[in-house]
Amino acid sequence: NEVVLGELGWQTIKARRWMLRLGYWGKLVSMSRSRLAHRIYVRSRKDYQQDPTTTNWCSYTAKMMEELGLKQVWDRGNLGGMALETWKELIKAKIREWEEERWKRGIEGKTKLRNYKRWKTRSGREDYLTDGNDTAGTRMVTKLRGGANPLRIDQGRKEGIPREERICQICENGVEDEEHFMLRCARYGWLRAKLRLTVNRALNYVREWWDDETRGPELMDILLGEAAGKKRGTIVEAVKRFAAQATITRAKTLRLRA
């Protein structure tokens, strides 16, 4: 899941496996030629070189290194005088770069992450996940950022409903997407007033943006993205409170109408 990896900054299991394998390769080519492990490695490497269709430890390692842009190192067959710790730092950086590109491609391929790819340009642990004690608000902020949430924009997608028909069931006035939930739905007006006050105090220049629909995307970049800069921590905590309370209000309203 791209959102989980992006928000937490985790490595995939595959990346961790690659790190261990290439670290061990560095040890193998650096150890004494008389060691059994080195002799087995040399035999495996020769088998692969003589028959490229061979599937063994070396064939997989060679393809891995080529994918990471380390083919020259593999072809050389040694670290070229590089210290083992330096080698480990190199492969760590290469794997991180490979993971980042793979993560970005994953985001680009999913329409529900249309906002996330704008708000999250680089994977890495988000401070809002551990700041404060509002766990319900934290969960909802993650869902809003990641596009997997209870709003009609996502639920309607799962049901195969055209986007323009995913109307807000609370106010029945417009498509219920993340911007509608945060900025437009009249049912949450009293909660939004508190959010608006906090944001305006932190960033005075946005005071006139709230009632201007053309400014909606920019305001969302501040509320759920990174545009708030140094004030982001203060604003995110206010967004958490709003998101948690608005979600409760939404659920209660839907139950009453059921």
Side-chain angles (χ1 to χ4, degrees):
N1 184 295
E2 287 80 10
V3 175
V4 173
L5 294 174
E7 298 294 88
L8 294 173
W10 284 353
Q11 278 190 324
T12 60
I13 293 175
K14 184 176 184 178
R16 289 178 229 168
R17 190 168 63 241
W18 281 23
M19 186 74 188
L20 291 172
R21 177 182 284 261
L22 295 183
Y24 185 60
W25 181 85
K27 288 182 179 179
L28 281 174
V29 298
S30 300
M31 67 175 54
S32 170
R33 294 184 180 184
S34 63
R35 295 277 298 273
L36 178 61
H38 183 83
R39 294 206 302 271
I40 293 173
Y41 161 72
V42 170
R43 179 69 266 173
S44 176
R45 184 182 175 98
K46 284 182 179 179
D47 288 343
Y48 173 60
Q49 288 174 328
Q50 290 171 358
D51 181 7
T53 64
T54 296
T55 300
N56 60 17
W57 192 90
C58 281
S59 66
Y60 186 74
T61 303
K63 291 171 185 175
M64 182 189 302
M65 291 175 72
E66 182 174 359
E67 192 166 346
L68 293 175
L70 296 169
K71 186 177 185 301
Q72 288 183 331
V73 180
W74 168 261
D75 290 343
R76 189 174 61 223
N78 58 63
L79 298 183
M82 190 188 308
L84 190 57
E85 287 305 312
T86 304
W87 166 246
K88 289 180 179 179
E89 288 300 316
L90 174 62
I91 58 175
K92 182 178 179 181
K94 288 287 188 179
I95 290 172
R96 178 63 182 169
E97 182 181 316
W98 176 84
E99 282 260 88
E100 190 75 15
E101 288 303 314
R102 189 165 175 255
W103 173 75
K104 287 179 179 178
R105 288 196 300 271
I107 291 176
E108 289 294 332
K110 295 184 178 179
T111 56
K112 75 172 184 177
L113 299 180
R114 66 198 182 287
N115 289 323
Y116 190 65
K117 64 184 176 183
R118 189 172 88 239
W119 295 333
K120 185 77 173 179
T121 57
R122 188 172 182 81
S123 65
R125 187 175 184 82
E126 290 286 339
D127 291 338
Y128 80 84
L129 293 170
T130 51
D131 289 347
N133 299 312
D134 190 345
T135 54
T138 298
R139 283 197 299 270
M140 192 57 186
V141 166
T142 302
K143 290 177 180 180
L144 290 170
R145 279 168 57 84
N149 51 60
L151 306 182
R152 290 304 297 159
I153 189 65
D154 187 46
Q155 299 307 308
R157 177 186 60 80
K158 295 175 182 176
E159 296 165 13
I161 298 173
R163 189 185 192 284
E164 63 274 10
E165 296 178 18
R166 302 173 200 173
I167 304 300
C168 177
Q169 297 173 321
I170 307 300
C171 69
E172 299 181 348
N173 185 24
V175 173
E176 189 188 31
D177 57 12
E178 294 81 5
E179 183 175 326
H180 179 86
F181 177 78
M182 292 295 303
L183 305 178
R184 310 295 171 216
C185 187
R187 183 68 180 86
Y188 317 125
W190 62 285
L191 291 171
R192 194 173 295 113
K194 299 177 183 178
L195 173 64
R196 186 169 177 166
L197 183 62
T198 300
V199 175
N200 288 348
R201 283 175 176 170
L203 301 171
N204 185 58
Y205 64 87
V206 305
R207 289 178 181 276
E208 308 302 322
W209 291 15
W210 296 86
D211 301 317
D212 183 352
E213 290 194 13
T214 65
R215 292 284 197 172
E218 293 174 85
L219 198 48
M220 288 294 285
D221 288 348
I222 288 173
L223 299 178
L224 291 171
E226 301 175 355
K230 293 181 180 179
K231 299 292 185 178
R232 191 184 182 202
T234 300
I235 290 174
V236 169
E237 288 307 306
V239 170
K240 285 182 185 180
R241 290 191 293 272
F242 170 85
Q245 293 169 352
T247 300
I248 293 172
T249 300
R250 181 181 185 277
K252 287 181 178 178
T253 302
L254 290 175
R255 280 199 301 270
L256 289 172
R257 293 181 180 179

